[in-house]
Amino acid sequence: MAISRRKIALIGGGNIGGTMAHLCALKKLGDVVLFDVVDGLPQGKALDLLQSAPVEGFDANIVGTTRYEDIVGADVCIVTAGIARKPGMSRDDLLGTNARIMTSVSQGIREYAPNAFVIVITNPLDAMVTLCRRVTGFPKNQVVGQSGILDSSRYRTFIAQELNRSVESVTAMVLGGHGDDMVPVRSTCQVGGVPVDRFIPSERLDEIEQRVRMAGGEIVSLLKTGSAFYAPASAAVRMAEAYLQDKKEVLPCAAYLEGEYGVQGCYFCVPVLLGSDGVEKVIEIDLTAEEKSAFDQSLSHVQELVGAMDRVLAQA
Ligand code: TXD
């Protein structure tokens, strides 16, 4: 019996959503449903993408819609619905508006795609993925946040540029909250298998790691009308690929921790195993004392953010 194509629902058809739709089509990951509340936006982008198929050589159904009914049976839902930052805004400034949007989106996913693996992108990420799991009621392995793959990719990019090396020769990880206090884990950063501090002095690494933490804001201040979208889209599609292809890939993602890393009952970015059962395992690694201190500080911020979200929602 022919195996039907998988179905990927992109909830939010803006900058990241449209870019993910393009990536999913080019990578032949399956059929794509682009959902948005702005009528015409998802439909127009979907039609445009569909018309690139003969040139690119992919066969997929790509549909734009404002109806949740059209996401029925999705294997993966990737959520970007919400507002993006403008210059001068922090990710946390998006909390109130995006919490209300995430609540309605999560209700739609719960009703029409109850078996989907849900990847949350909307900022403030750590609070939004927490809310998504809470409202959908899905098990913890079925709801994950995209943060660390993007942040780690930025770290790898800056190291590769500093040394004029291929990005493929640089491994690095950024863990913790998706905020200005995220944790570049220098002790895991290697260039060709050699620890990075053998090539770059500590003071320069400090500067590079600070640029990683502020990289999102750097792009917001350049674009002025929105935030990064190419690299975030690539990061989220990488997670969808690991799920759809059962890759058992270890990637830094915002996962729900219940005791791992000493964290109880909170979404936080750590290395996880992604496969056909979603977040299949949390991988615990050693951190230096300095990294652990930064990790704990970032955790405190995430916990405060979730508390602030709860207060906002209680007032609604
Ligand atoms: O990696 C990460 N986690 C971050 C996430 C990296 C970069 C950007 N990050 C955040 O993703 C950003 O701060 C935003 O909160 C989201 C989406 O960013 P994007 O750049 O795609 O924003 P756009 O272009 O404004 O698109 C958002 C779309 C827009 O078309 C709205 O009409 C739509 O969301 N929207 C909705 N869709 C569905 N349902 C509802 N209720 C809704 N409300 C708005």
Side-chain angles (χ1 to χ4, degrees), residues 31-238:
D31 293 339
V32 175
V33 177
L34 194 58
F35 174 97
D36 204 291
V37 289
V38 175
D39 193 23
L41 175 70
Q43 297 94 332
K45 287 191 177 183
L47 198 52
D48 188 8
L49 279 167
L50 209 53
Q51 293 164 12
S52 73
V55 177
E56 297 293 350
F58 62 78
D59 289 296
N61 295 318
I62 303 179
V63 171
T65 185
T66 58
R67 297 171 354 115
Y68 272 108
E69 292 84 347
D70 292 325
I71 75 167
V72 69
D75 296 288
V76 179
C77 288
I78 311 180
V79 184
T80 59
I83 62 169
R85 285 198 276 176
K86 296 280 190 298
M89 291 176 77
S90 73
R91 294 179 180 89
D92 297 5
D93 291 335
L94 307 174
L95 184 65
T97 302
N98 286 352
R100 283 184 287 280
I101 292 172
M102 186 57 67
T103 298
S104 71
V105 165
S106 302
Q107 290 164 343
I109 293 172
R110 183 182 62 201
E111 182 174 355
Y112 291 97
N115 301 312
F117 180 50
V118 184
I119 301 168
V120 175
I121 299 184
T122 305
N123 271 328
L125 184 274
D126 304 291
M128 293 300 103
V129 66
T130 300
L131 183 57
C132 180
R133 181 175 176 238
R134 192 186 293 171
V135 174
T136 56
F138 291 175
K140 64 181 179 178
N141 63 298
Q142 200 176 334
V143 183
V144 68
Q146 183 329 92
S147 54
I149 299 172
L150 169 66
D151 300 327
S152 303
S153 184
R154 287 167 167 168
Y155 194 11
R156 292 173 63 192
T157 301
F158 296 152
I159 295 293
Q161 285 184 319
E162 185 75 9
L163 295 174
N164 189 28
R165 297 286 184 278
S166 165
V167 291
E168 294 183 347
S169 298
V170 182
T171 53
M173 221 172 347
V174 177
L175 304 180
H178 186 54
D180 294 349
D181 51 14
M182 62 181 74
V183 185
V185 184
R186 185 181 303 182
S187 58
T188 67
C189 182
Q190 297 186 340
V191 182
V194 178
V196 68
D197 57 12
R198 298 276 296 277
F199 302 107
I200 303 175
S202 181
E203 300 73 25
R204 180 60 185 145
L205 283 170
D206 289 342
E207 292 170 355
I208 290 171
E209 289 159 3
Q210 185 55 19
R211 190 182 177 197
V212 171
R213 293 187 190 93
M214 308 313 286
E218 180 182 0
I219 291 174
V220 169
S221 63
L222 288 167
L223 293 179
K224 298 182 177 52
T225 57
S227 48
F229 53 94
Y230 292 120
S234 292
V237 169
R238 179 69 174 268

